[in-house]
């Protein structure tokens, strides 16, 4: 899944490079030649890097380990530097727009001079250059995500250099769609509603004080409702796992550990922004009415990501079920020489036992009212299990067992998967109330808060993408 994502972001990054070349051609009279050479070099680097990751992202290098470690970690930091460059370039484009939005909200004490960052010469034709400038602005988020994703994949490759491969850690994942209608429908509804909210937000924000306030209130109310739904779904999933008696897989798995570290590490970006917003609301001398919606929103962002991380980490640490549910829930009642034989599910420990039962059943007549014998067997299992301190496997509570449990978990996972894609859309396409709220800029200062948001926001966007990929793997594993 990551190779498909990085290919998409790389293609958009190359398109961004083409637009930069066009921008250089339009202002060639007053721009340095490096402004035209850099996007071409970056496009070639992107093509070669994606080709390398497509062919070798899952390799475990065992030869020339010192040289390979140096080369891969060099690539990691190269992408991090390119990510920093992308963040700074995007920030320059965003500053003027957000200053204008804050002025419409009544924050007149932000007196920083507006700078359009255009070269000191004319572009011909002007319409062409204006269109290119706007296109560059909207493509920068994809470039930033590409650099973060490439750095992450290369870091995984660097961590795996020289590692001993355990063949038992490889499990085939199968995507199964039936039985997730509720989660899919609810998730697609959230996705459609998110697109509508983003469109209305971008249209209304900055038009006037009233429209900007209504756009912020609309976004906060929608996000609060969505985060509460996601938190409730995550709590339900964790609860199902906690009453599940399957043991946890505590074996050493670097890939699984890295997934957990990435979830926690990238979530810290939005946690930093949320804590900053909470402090700004509590420390501000005067708060406009719409800013109070930011308080529950910021708290829910922290809580929801904490719950979702617990759900995903709990899921990836569960051992896969080794027996099919049809065998594990089988009850066989036969009659042999006038005596009734009851085989409960606890007796079927392997496929060989199931074959023996099938061979017995083919030679013996069916019995009537066998439920009494099953109940007796269950009672005996319960008595034996109670002597050991644990209930017998045949008499455990029937709350969400077997297919019902897996169906609920798949619906929860599908819903959270679509919700994470939905929450990836607003910040990626310019719907960022952290900029437009205005209160944080007054408390912390305009430039310090913009720097914090510009550094933390890419990690928040990447978190949603990585969480969606992790949830897809969890869905295939259930």
């Amino acid at each position: 899944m990551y190779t498909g994502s990085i290919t998409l972001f790389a293609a958009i990054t190359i398109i961004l490079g083409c637009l930069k070349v066009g921008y250089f051609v339009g202002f060639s009279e007053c721009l340095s030649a490096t402004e035209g050479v850099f996007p071409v070099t970056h496009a070639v680097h992107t093509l070669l890097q994606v080709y390398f990751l497509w062919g070798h992202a899952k390799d475990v290098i065992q030869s020339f380990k010192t040289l390979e470690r140096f080369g891969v970690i060099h690539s990691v930091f190269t992408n991090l530097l390119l990510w920093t460059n992308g963040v700074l370039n995007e920030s320059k484009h965003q500053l003027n727009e957000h200053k204008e939005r804050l002025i419409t909200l009544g924050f007149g004490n932000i007196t920083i001079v507006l700078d359009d960052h255009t070269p000191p010469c004319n572009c011909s034709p002007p319409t062409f250059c204006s269109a290119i400038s706007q296109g560059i602005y909207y493509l920068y988020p994809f470039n930033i995500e590409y650099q973060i994703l490439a750095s992450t994949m290369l870091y995984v490759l660097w961590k795996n250099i020289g590692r001993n491969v355990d063949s038992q850690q490889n499990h085939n994942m199968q995507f199964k769609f039936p039985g997730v209608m509720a989660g899919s429908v609810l998730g697609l509804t959230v996705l459609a509603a998110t697109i509508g909210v983003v469109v209305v937000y971008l249209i209304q924000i900055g038009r006037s004080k009233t429209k900007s306030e209504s756009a912020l209130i609309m976004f906060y109310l929608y996000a609060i409702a969505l985060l509460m739904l996601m938190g409730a779904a995550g709590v339900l999933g964790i609860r199902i796992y906690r009453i599940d008696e399957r043991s946890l897989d505590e074996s050493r798995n670097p890939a699984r550990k890295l997934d957990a570290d990435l979830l926690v590490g990238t979530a810290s970006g939005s946690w930093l922004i949320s804590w900053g917003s909470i402090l700004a609301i509590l420390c501000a001398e005067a708060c406009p009415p719409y800013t109070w919606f930011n308080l529950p929103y910021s708290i829910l962002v922290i809580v929801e990501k904490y719950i979702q991380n617990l759900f995903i980490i709990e899921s990836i640490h569960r051992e896969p079920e080794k027996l099919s549910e049809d065998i594990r829930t089988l009850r066989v009642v036969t009659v042999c020489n006038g005596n009734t034989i009851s085989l409960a599910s606890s007796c079927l420990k392997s496929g060989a036992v199931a074959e023996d039962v099938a061979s017995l059943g083919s030679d013996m007549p069916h019995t009537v009212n066998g439920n009494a014998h099953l109940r007796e067997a269950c009672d005996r299992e319960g008595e034996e299990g109670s002597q050991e301190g644990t209930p017998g496997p045949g008499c455990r509570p029937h709350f969400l067992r077997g297919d019902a449990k897996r169906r609920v978990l798949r619906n929860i996972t599908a819903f959270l998967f679509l919700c994470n894609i939905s929450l990836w859309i607003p910040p990626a396409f310019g719907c960022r109330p952290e900029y437009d709220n205005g209160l944080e800029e007054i408390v912390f200062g305009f430039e310090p808060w913009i720097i914090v948001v510009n550094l933390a926001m890419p990690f928040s966007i990447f978190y949603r993408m990585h969480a969606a990929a992790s949830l897809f793997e969890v869905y295939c594993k259930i």
Side-chain angles (χ1 to χ4, degrees):
M1 186 171 182
Y2 283 124
T3 52
S5 301
I6 200 171
T7 303
L8 173 63
F9 291 138
I12 298 176
T13 299
I14 293 173
I15 295 173
L16 175 63
C18 295
L19 293 179
K20 286 185 176 181
V21 172
Y23 188 80
F24 167 75
V25 172
F27 291 99
S28 58
E29 295 180 1
C30 53
L31 288 178
S32 172
T34 56
E35 298 286 342
V37 174
F38 175 75
V40 175
T41 308
H42 189 199
V44 174
H45 172 264
T46 301
L47 284 173
L48 294 176
Q49 184 167 257
V50 171
Y51 175 77
F52 172 77
L53 290 174
W54 261 99
H56 304 284
K58 296 182 179 180
D59 290 354
V60 179
I61 300 172
Q62 300 290 350
S63 59
F64 304 102
K65 289 183 279 189
T66 302
L67 180 62
E68 293 287 352
R69 286 192 179 99
F70 171 79
V72 174
I73 202 66
H74 175 75
S75 298
V76 170
F77 282 101
T78 299
N79 281 277
L80 290 177
L81 287 173
L82 291 171
W83 164 73
T84 306
N85 179 67
V87 169
L88 292 175
N89 288 328
E90 186 191 24
S91 301
K92 290 192 298 183
H93 286 275
Q94 288 176 340
L95 285 177
N96 289 335
E97 182 178 351
H98 293 301
K99 291 173 190 174
E100 294 172 354
R101 291 179 180 179
L102 293 175
I103 290 172
T104 61
L105 284 170
F107 293 96
N109 52 349
I110 297 177
T111 57
I112 302 175
V113 178
L114 296 179
D115 182 12
D116 56 3
H117 303 287
T118 56
C121 60
N122 294 327
C123 174
S124 57
T127 306
F128 172 75
C129 294
S130 177
I132 287 181
S133 180
Q134 290 296 322
I136 289 174
Y137 170 73
Y138 285 109
L139 293 184
Y140 263 122
F142 298 95
N143 174 46
I144 292 171
E145 291 305 308
Y146 164 74
Q147 305 299 345
I148 295 178
L149 185 56
S151 301
T152 303
M153 295 180 69
L154 289 167
Y155 178 74
V156 173
L157 183 63
W158 178 76
K159 288 284 288 184
N160 288 336
I161 293 177
R163 182 171 66 88
N164 294 326
V165 181
D166 185 3
S167 59
Q168 295 180 354
Q169 292 179 354
N170 299 324
H171 302 288
N172 294 326
M173 295 189 302
Q174 297 180 353
F175 178 76
K176 300 177 181 179
F177 184 76
V180 292
M181 181 63 67
S184 300
V185 170
L186 188 56
L188 290 173
T189 303
V190 169
L191 181 61
T194 302
I195 294 174
V197 168
V198 170
V199 171
V200 174
Y201 182 93
L202 295 177
I203 292 174
Q204 295 289 338
I205 197 71
R207 299 291 180 179
S208 65
K209 187 175 187 297
T210 304
K211 290 183 177 180
S212 296
E213 290 181 356
S214 62
L216 286 167
I217 292 173
M218 174 198 65
F219 178 86
Y220 284 135
L221 290 177
Y222 173 75
I224 288 170
L226 178 55
L227 291 171
M228 289 178 66
L229 280 176
M230 294 177 67
V235 169
L236 178 59
I238 294 172
R239 178 59 180 165
I240 293 174
Y241 276 128
R242 292 295 168 86
I243 63 176
D244 187 8
E245 297 182 356
R246 272 191 298 162
S247 59
L248 294 176
D249 184 6
E250 300 293 347
S251 61
R252 186 175 179 273
N253 190 326
R256 186 172 58 201
K257 182 179 182 300
L258 184 62
D259 280 339
D261 292 342
L262 282 175
L263 284 172
V264 177
T266 55
S268 61
S270 60
W271 287 341
L272 176 63
I273 297 175
S274 297
W275 280 114
S277 298
I278 293 171
L279 289 175
I281 295 170
L282 298 178
C283 298
E285 296 179 357
C287 296
Y290 66 88
T291 58
W292 286 107
F293 292 97
N294 193 15
L295 182 60
Y297 167 73
S298 300
I299 295 173
L300 284 172
V301 167
I302 298 172
V303 174
E304 185 274 328
K305 287 190 175 179
Y306 179 77
I307 293 173
Q308 182 170 262
N309 288 348
L310 282 180
F311 173 71
I312 295 175
I313 294 172
E314 187 92 10
S315 300
I316 62 179
H317 279 82
R318 288 285 168 176
E319 290 184 347
E321 297 185 11
K322 297 180 180 179
L323 294 178
S324 66
E325 192 64 28
D326 294 335
I327 295 178
R328 298 202 312 146
T329 59
L330 183 63
R331 299 290 188 272
V332 181
V333 180
T334 56
V335 177
C336 180
N337 296 328
N339 297 324
T340 302
I341 303 174
S342 298
L343 296 178
S345 61
S346 60
C347 300
L348 302 181
K349 299 296 183 182
S350 64
V353 177
E355 293 176 0
D356 293 340
V357 172
S359 63
L360 283 173
S362 61
D363 298 332
M364 297 180 182
H366 297 285
T367 182
V368 182
N369 292 332
N371 290 333
H373 301 291
L374 285 176
R375 192 178 299 112
E376 292 175 2
C378 182
D379 292 338
R380 288 195 298 272
E381 281 184 338
E383 292 175 359
E384 294 173 359
S386 61
Q387 294 175 358
E388 299 177 358
T390 58
C395 304
R396 291 167 184 155
H398 289 266
F399 172 69
L400 293 180
R401 293 184 62 192
D403 288 337
K405 180 192 70 177
R406 285 199 298 269
R407 197 159 42 241
V408 172
L409 288 174
R410 283 177 185 158
N411 276 280
I412 291 173
T413 307
F415 172 69
L416 292 177
F417 170 79
L418 292 170
C419 286
N420 278 275
I421 293 177
S422 301
L423 290 177
W424 173 84
I425 292 174
F429 289 91
C431 179
R432 302 178 180 181
E434 295 85 0
Y435 289 112
D436 305 325
N437 188 34
L439 188 64
E440 293 88 347
E441 285 89 340
I442 298 299
V443 175
F444 301 111
F446 185 81
E447 275 131 348
W449 179 248
I450 291 298
I451 291 173
V452 169
V453 174
N454 281 336
L455 291 176
M457 185 63 70
F459 290 99
S460 178
I461 298 173
F462 179 79
Y463 170 83
R464 292 299 175 186
M465 183 173 59
H466 179 63
S470 299
L471 287 166
F472 182 79
E473 294 180 4
V474 169
Y475 178 89
C476 296
K477 183 180 177 181
I478 296 175

